[in-house]
Amino acid sequence: MGLRDELLKSIWHAFTALDVDKSGKVSKSQLKVLSHNLCTVMKIPHDPVALEEHFKDDDEGPVSTQGYMPYLNRFILDKVQDNFDRVDFNRMCWTLCARKNLNRNHLLISDEDAFKIWCIFNFLSEDRYPLVIVAEEIEYFLRKLTEAMGGSWIEEKFEDYKTQLGSKQQCLTAWELIELVGMGHFSKGMDRQTLSMGINEVFQELILDVLKQGYMMKKGHKRKNWTERWFLLRPSSISYYVSEDLTEKKGDIMLDGNCCVESLPDKEGKKCLFYVKCSDKSFEISASDKKKKQEWIQAIQTCISLLKVGRPAPHREARHKRRELRQKQQAEQEQLELRMRELQTANENKQRELEAMRKKLEEAATNAADEERRRLQTQNELEGLYRAEMEKEKMVRLQMEEKVAQKSSELEQYLQRVRELEDMYHRLEEALEEEREARQDEETVRKLQARLLEEEAEKRTELEQIHLRQQQAISQTQAEKEELERERLAKEDALQAAMQQLQQLEFERQGALEQYEEVMKKLEDAANNTKSWKDKVAQHEGLIRLIQPGSKGPQKITNWGPAAFTEAELSLRQKDWQERKNRPTQTQ
């Protein structure tokens, strides 16, 4: 989409806003004001007479959009250069149309955010009038807005909304899109500030072509000092400002196909360094971390690569590809519809041919029915003749059948007597065979009974012996059982006596333990008394001493005069006293 197409979309909004009664026409006085404002914003010399000259043959009434287009193309769009602020141009057109179309009730966004959504709508809308944005572009915008707000995209929610759009041909106007975002249908849980920041980020990327932005440190060219700057990356330049409010611009780095960006090692106390090398100078920049550094290098390299091959910004190229794909799909759809219409026409022709064939078949069926009727009539006449002849043949056949039946009855009686004789012979043979088998079975049973009787006698003898052995074992077991019972009773008596002795020993042990505790207590009291007396004796020994003649060495001088012993004697006495004091403790 070129510059002319982008400008025409905003101008179309302004023109339709001036069309108050929606007749498709605007008065020439309003068009003069609109044309003057367009020329002022786009920095084009305005010719106030040109509009009158252009429409001098149409003095009686307003001008339609088709009538205004030739003037707009000739006197404004053909002269426009890309040297004006597009945001100011869009804001002027927005001012004209927002007053009439924007419903501010229940909106969670400001007028500035609504203006940015309006600009995004113009960027993503189709190149046909009236302007609408299709469902695919709505999803693209809402997905980007959700990512900018830090939320997660819910595909099912948009699919439900897309289903609701089915009755509206799945497209929205600019004001419907503003209402969709402003009512917070896809930003629930987000505050107004987050929503506004998300709209601004998408606006900067899609409208202002800001591919990346953020704070980084830049090394100066003259004083070689490092200063923090706010950087904005666009497809053909990198601008840096004092702060993110963009009030004070410090410079631009113009990019072209000959530029390059490379990573630098850490130096001068700065980390995450890289430099952008242009034809005239190089710029050293320090990112906040390695991730930001890699993102900036990759983004700048992408811009340089696009400039080398002359391709637009990624989001503009993506929009162009989406439109080409939609156009291709639309062409395929139209081709499919044309093919369907052709098939429908061919189907209708086939239906007509089938109808004609059906009529012919009906006529043929009628003729065939008449022919069948005549054939049936002839057949009925022939059947009458044949029936009479068949009756005669039937009478003759019945007579023959009676004779055959009589002969057959006689033959059947003879055969019956033969079968009865054969049956009697077979039964006689079977009876003889059964008698022979019965005799054999009787002999076998007699032998079996004899053998069983012998076995029974042997078993009875064995049982009697086993019974005798059992009687002997029982008498022996009874004696052993009585002996074991006597031993058990003796052991129980011994166990009872041992238990009584154990209880007596436990009682004696308890008494001995109590006596031991009393002795230990007395011993502890005696030890304490001995220790106290030893301490008293030691104390008295330290205080009492014998008076003996002193040594002739230097005497110790105290506050009361010369001491009774020297310094060496005092140290010996202290050492001796300490040894005597420690000796009782070691004994204990």
Side-chain angles (χ1 to χ4, degrees):
M1 183 171 64
L3 177 61
R4 180 186 294 264
D5 295 330
E6 292 184 5
L7 299 177
L8 276 175
K9 290 185 176 182
S10 300
I11 296 172
W12 177 82
H13 282 289
F15 187 90
T16 53
L18 297 175
D19 181 13
V20 180
D21 54 359
K22 298 182 180 180
S23 61
K25 295 184 179 181
V26 179
S27 64
K28 281 194 283 187
S29 61
Q30 291 177 315
L31 289 180
K32 286 181 181 179
V33 176
L34 176 61
S35 302
H36 182 268
N37 290 335
L38 291 175
C39 292
T40 303
V41 173
M42 292 189 289
K43 299 180 182 180
I44 300 172
H46 179 55
D47 187 1
V49 186
L51 187 64
E52 294 292 343
E53 291 291 330
H54 187 76
F55 296 107
K56 60 184 178 180
D57 296 333
D58 189 15
D59 293 334
E60 299 180 354
V63 180
S64 65
T65 179
Q66 289 83 7
Y68 183 60
M69 280 301 298
Y71 168 80
L72 183 65
N73 287 324
R74 178 181 176 185
F75 293 98
I76 298 179
L77 296 180
D78 289 345
K79 299 178 181 180
V80 70
Q81 301 291 331
D82 197 6
N83 59 348
F84 64 94
D85 191 343
R86 296 190 189 181
V87 177
D88 292 340
F89 166 77
N90 287 326
R91 198 176 297 278
M92 186 273 295
C93 297
W94 161 261
T95 305
L96 292 175
C97 62
R99 189 182 301 111
K100 175 184 176 183
N101 298 299
L102 182 62
N103 183 13
R104 294 175 175 82
N105 295 331
H106 308 295
L107 289 183
L108 303 176
I109 58 175
S110 61
D111 287 355
E112 180 66 20
D113 293 334
F115 163 69
K116 293 176 181 178
I117 296 174
W118 180 79
C119 295
I120 294 171
F121 168 85
N122 292 338
F123 177 75
L124 297 176
S125 61
E126 300 299 295
D127 293 336
R128 62 175 184 269
Y129 297 91
L131 292 175
V132 292
I133 180 171
V134 297
E136 182 183 359
E137 299 297 336
I138 297 173
E139 181 182 2
Y140 172 78
F141 168 56
L142 293 178
R143 189 186 291 270
K144 272 200 162 296
L145 179 60
T146 305
E147 292 175 356
M149 292 188 297
S152 57
W153 176 251
I154 304 175
E155 189 72 30
E156 295 78 9
K157 187 175 182 181
F158 182 77
E159 289 297 329
D160 295 340
Y161 178 74
K162 191 175 178 182
T163 305
Q164 298 174 6
L165 285 179
S167 58
K168 300 181 181 180
Q169 299 179 353
Q170 295 192 347
C171 57
L172 294 177
T173 63
W175 316 109
E176 290 172 341
L177 181 64
I178 293 173
E179 182 179 0
L180 174 66
V181 179
M183 297 293 286
H185 294 297
F186 287 90
S187 59
K188 290 182 180 179
M190 302 288 182
D191 54 12
R192 296 190 178 189
Q193 184 179 2
T194 304
L195 178 59
S196 177
M197 292 173 64
I199 294 172
N200 182 61
E201 184 174 337
V202 178
F203 173 79
Q204 287 188 345
E205 179 182 353
L206 299 183
I207 307 303
L208 302 182
D209 291 339
V210 177
L211 304 180
K212 192 168 182 58
Q213 56 185 336
Y215 278 108
M216 291 191 294
M217 303 293 291
K218 174 186 169 298
K219 185 177 182 180
H221 286 89
K222 295 181 180 180
R223 290 187 295 176
K224 304 298 182 182
N225 59 335
W226 291 88
T227 311
E228 188 178 47
R229 297 287 184 239
W230 178 263
F231 285 81
L232 288 181
L233 174 62
R234 293 187 174 89
S236 60
S237 66
I238 305 174
S239 303
Y240 49 96
Y241 300 81
V242 174
S243 62
E244 57 184 306
D245 56 8
L246 310 181
T247 54
E248 185 178 352
K249 186 175 183 179
K250 301 301 291 183
D252 292 306
I253 303 174
M254 303 309 297
L255 301 177
D256 54 31
N258 298 322
C259 295
C260 68
V261 56
E262 294 182 6
S263 176
L264 286 177
D266 299 342
K267 63 179 182 178
E268 300 176 6
K270 296 295 178 182
K271 297 182 179 181
C272 305
L273 295 174
F274 66 94
Y275 77 99
V276 181
K277 184 177 181 181
C278 300
S279 56
D280 52 348
K281 60 176 66 175
S282 299
F283 300 85
E284 292 187 16
I285 301 172
S286 172
S288 59
D289 53 48
K290 293 182 179 180
K291 181 181 178 182
K292 295 289 184 184
K293 169 187 172 181
Q294 191 61 33
E295 289 177 355
W296 273 99
I297 292 176
Q298 187 174 358
I300 297 172
Q301 187 61 50
T302 301
C303 293
I304 295 173
S305 302
L306 293 175
L307 289 171
K308 284 182 180 180
V309 296
R311 287 164 58 186
H315 60 275
R316 294 184 180 273
E317 186 176 7
R319 179 194 60 179
H320 180 66
K321 289 182 179 179
R322 291 196 303 273
R323 288 187 177 177
E324 284 184 347
L325 181 60
R326 282 199 300 274
Q327 291 173 0
K328 182 179 179 181
Q329 291 175 348
Q330 186 176 2
E332 292 176 354
Q333 183 69 21
E334 291 175 354
Q335 187 176 1
L336 181 61
E337 290 176 357
L338 178 61
R339 180 62 179 164
M340 291 296 294
R341 285 195 296 270
E342 290 177 355
L343 290 174
Q344 186 175 2
T345 304
N347 188 25
E348 290 174 355
N349 294 333
K350 288 288 184 183
Q351 290 291 337
R352 285 193 292 270
E353 292 176 2
L354 290 173
E355 185 67 22
M357 291 178 64
R358 187 181 63 80
K359 289 180 180 179
K360 290 180 180 179
L361 288 173
E362 288 179 354
E363 292 176 358
T366 304
N367 296 332
D370 295 340
E371 184 67 26
E372 181 69 16
R373 200 164 41 251
R374 290 192 296 269
R375 187 185 64 78
L376 288 174
Q377 185 177 1
T378 305
Q379 183 178 355
N380 291 333
E381 293 175 356
L382 292 173
E383 284 181 355
L385 296 175
Y386 292 150
R387 194 175 294 112
E389 292 180 359
M390 288 296 293
E391 287 293 334
K392 294 178 182 178
E393 290 180 359
K394 185 176 181 181
M395 294 298 294
V396 175
R397 188 173 65 253
L398 289 174
Q399 292 175 359
M400 294 298 294
E401 286 178 353
E402 289 177 357
K403 293 179 180 179
V404 171
Q406 186 178 0
K407 294 294 184 181
S408 297
S409 177
E410 293 176 356
L411 179 62
E412 183 67 27
Q413 291 176 1
Y414 175 76
L415 292 176
Q416 181 67 25
R417 286 195 296 271
V418 172
R419 283 196 296 272
E420 289 176 356
L421 291 173
E422 290 179 350
D423 188 26
M424 290 176 64
Y425 176 74
H426 286 307
R427 285 201 299 272
L428 181 59
E429 285 184 348
E430 289 176 358
L432 292 174
E433 184 66 27
E434 288 176 358
E435 183 180 1
R436 188 168 53 255
E437 290 178 356
R439 288 178 180 176
Q440 291 177 357
D441 293 340
E442 182 181 2
E443 185 66 24
T444 303
V445 168
R446 188 180 294 109
K447 292 179 179 179
L448 180 60
Q449 287 179 350
R451 189 173 66 253
L452 289 175
L453 288 174
E454 291 176 358
E455 291 178 357
E456 185 178 356
E458 292 176 358
K459 291 291 183 182
R460 184 178 292 109
T461 305
E462 290 178 0
L463 287 174
E464 289 176 354
Q465 294 176 358
I466 290 171
H467 179 68
L468 290 175
R469 285 196 297 270
Q470 284 180 349
Q471 290 294 331
Q472 294 174 359
I474 287 171
S475 59
Q476 185 179 356
T477 304
Q478 187 68 26
E480 292 176 354
K481 183 178 180 180
E482 292 175 355
E483 181 67 24
L484 288 175
E485 182 67 22
R486 284 193 298 272
E487 290 179 1
R488 184 182 66 80
L489 292 174
K491 287 180 181 180
E492 285 182 356
D493 294 338
L495 179 62
Q496 189 69 24
M499 289 295 293
Q500 291 177 0
Q501 291 177 2
L502 181 62
Q503 290 177 358
Q504 182 65 28
L505 289 174
E506 180 67 22
F507 179 73
E508 293 176 357
R509 188 186 65 81
Q510 208 52 39
L513 182 61
E514 291 176 358
Q515 292 177 3
Y516 175 75
E517 287 178 353
E518 289 179 2
V519 170
M520 287 300 294
K521 187 175 180 181
K522 290 178 180 180
L523 182 62
E524 185 178 356
D525 293 340
N528 291 334
N529 292 332
T530 305
K531 183 178 180 181
S532 61
W533 279 107
K534 285 183 179 180
D535 291 342
K536 289 178 182 180
V537 170
Q539 184 177 2
H540 284 294
E541 286 180 356
L543 295 175
I544 300 172
R545 64 179 180 83
L546 297 176
I547 300 174
Q548 297 176 354
S551 64
K552 299 197 182 278
Q555 294 182 341
K556 183 176 178 65
I557 303 299
T558 65
N559 292 332
W560 295 276
F565 43 80
T566 62
E567 187 73 28
E569 292 176 345
L570 178 62
S571 61
L572 289 174
R573 288 173 179 273
Q574 286 180 348
K575 184 177 179 182
D576 183 53
W577 175 78
Q578 189 67 32
E579 289 178 355
R580 287 198 305 271
K581 182 180 179 182
N582 292 335
R583 194 176 299 118
T585 308
Q586 292 175 1
T587 356
Q588 293 176 6

